[in-house]
Amino acid sequence: MDRQEIIKKTELFVKKTLSEDSTGHDWWHIHRVRNLAKRIAREEGADIFLVELAALLHDIGDYKFFKGDEEAGAAKVGEWLSSLEISPSFIDKIIEITSRVSFMLSLPDKQKGRDKKNSTIPTVSKELMSVTDADRLDAMGAIGIARAFTYGGFFNRPIYDPAIKPIKSITKEEYKITEAPSINHFYEKLLKLKDMMYTKLGRKIAKRRHRFINLYLKQFFKEWKGKM
Ligand code: ADP
Ligand code: NI
């Protein structure tokens, strides 16, 4: 099987698996992440085939689909790749990316304390950097805002409640179970992403998207108070 065939088959598999989702994990998210990840990968001199496959599969194993099980995702990705003619060592490289891309993993554990980041994070490859930056960028800017409210609406969250303050230094455990209004998510995740970019291009795009989120929030709170 040549590389193009592997990509085409994986694309169809991902489309089918995510076709029912309306929480922000839809096919078009994958499409955007794939294209942006490839663009970043070209700038970084990363392996484009590895980046493209990992980007296509990065949300297949999301823990949210497996009732909080973080291992099940890797198993699902591995199962799919084993059905193609791909070497086990290359499969490992893909899983290494898909299992580490999540924002949640970057949050501190409760028992380690809010101030301490997870300290045992191994080295980050150019390929992991490309996919992670692209995924995080898709949670920012105009599209990121749309995705946050789509997610919130799906889970019946209010848009905003002044009585429920955001937890800016949220832990992994708190992040997993939060039922806070969607605006809180901006402070708990979206506004942090700018400083979490790994690549030069990622930082450049993040800067613009970050600015747009801030502009949006400014307008939001003006309207909330009946001004403007
Ligand atoms: P990804 O890591 O692929 O961007 P996530 O599973 O973290 O996906 O979330 C999907 C989308 O929903 C993202 O745009 C994310 O910012 C948004 N989202 C996640 N959790 C919340 C939340 N508690 N409230 C509002 N939006 C959320
Ligand atoms: Ni994603």
Side-chain angles (χ1 to χ4, degrees):
M1 206 180 297
D2 65 21
R3 289 182 162 196
Q4 246 190 327
E5 213 178 327
I6 290 173
I7 297 282
K8 219 53 251 141
K9 282 202 164 156
T10 302
E11 199 182 298
L12 287 175
F13 165 72
V14 172
K15 264 186 192 164
K16 197 166 158 251
T17 311
L18 300 182
S19 62
E20 314 274 275
D21 188 81
S22 24
T23 65
H25 276 113
D26 56 309
W27 162 253
W28 294 111
H29 163 64
I30 306 301
H31 172 84
R32 292 186 300 267
V33 171
R34 179 234 287 237
N35 287 338
L36 194 48
K38 280 171 78 181
R39 196 179 143 204
I40 295 171
R42 278 193 289 271
E43 295 265 324
E44 292 294 314
D47 179 334
I48 307 282
F49 180 58
L50 177 54
V51 164
E52 184 159 19
L53 265 184
L56 281 171
L57 292 163
H58 86 272
D59 273 340
I60 284 293
D62 194 298
Y63 72 95
K64 289 187 220 73
F65 300 139
F66 296 99
K67 301 190 175 75
D69 183 347
E70 289 168 34
E71 306 294 320
K76 186 155 185 197
V77 172
E79 205 178 288
W80 166 252
L81 292 169
S82 305
S83 75
L84 306 169
E85 290 155 23
I86 299 180
S87 72
S89 65
F90 200 74
I91 293 180
D92 286 348
K93 281 187 184 173
I94 296 170
I95 292 176
E96 164 81 8
I97 299 174
T98 56
S99 57
R100 285 176 60 191
V101 77
S102 166
F103 166 78
M104 190 198 64
L105 296 176
S106 68
L107 295 170
D109 288 325
K110 194 165 139 206
Q111 57 273 37
K112 285 188 190 154
R114 283 173 203 279
D115 303 327
K116 289 198 192 104
K117 293 253 160 132
N118 296 331
S119 53
T120 49
I121 296 173
T123 50
V124 181
S125 68
K126 283 178 181 176
E127 289 76 19
L128 176 57
M129 288 185 193
S130 306
V131 179
T132 305
D133 278 9
D135 190 37
R136 288 176 177 168
L137 283 167
D138 205 55
M140 302 179 74
I143 286 179
I145 294 169
R147 290 180 75 214
F149 291 113
T150 300
Y151 184 102
F154 184 82
F155 291 106
N156 276 321
R157 312 270 165 80
I159 295 172
Y160 175 55
D161 182 342
I164 308 172
K165 302 288 175 216
I167 313 170
K168 283 190 185 167
S169 50
I170 197 164
T171 64
K172 192 174 164 185
E173 290 73 15
E174 288 166 336
Y175 183 82
K176 262 181 157 177
I177 58 161
T178 182
E179 292 187 351
S182 301
I183 284 286
N184 292 28
H185 186 66
F186 287 64
Y187 299 94
E188 290 165 353
K189 173 182 174 183
L190 309 189
L191 289 170
K192 294 176 184 169
L193 297 173
K194 174 178 70 75
D195 295 326
M196 293 174 70
M197 290 291 136
Y198 288 117
T199 66
K200 201 170 157 209
L201 182 57
R203 272 189 293 277
K204 190 173 142 191
I205 302 174
K207 222 168 146 182
R208 286 193 218 126
R209 296 191 184 189
H210 184 86
R211 221 179 288 140
F212 189 81
I213 297 178
N214 270 331
L215 188 70
Y216 174 81
L217 286 172
K218 232 171 157 178
Q219 176 77 15
F220 182 96
F221 288 110
K222 274 187 193 158
E223 290 179 18
W224 189 269
K225 289 177 192 145
K227 294 177 185 166
M228 290 269 286

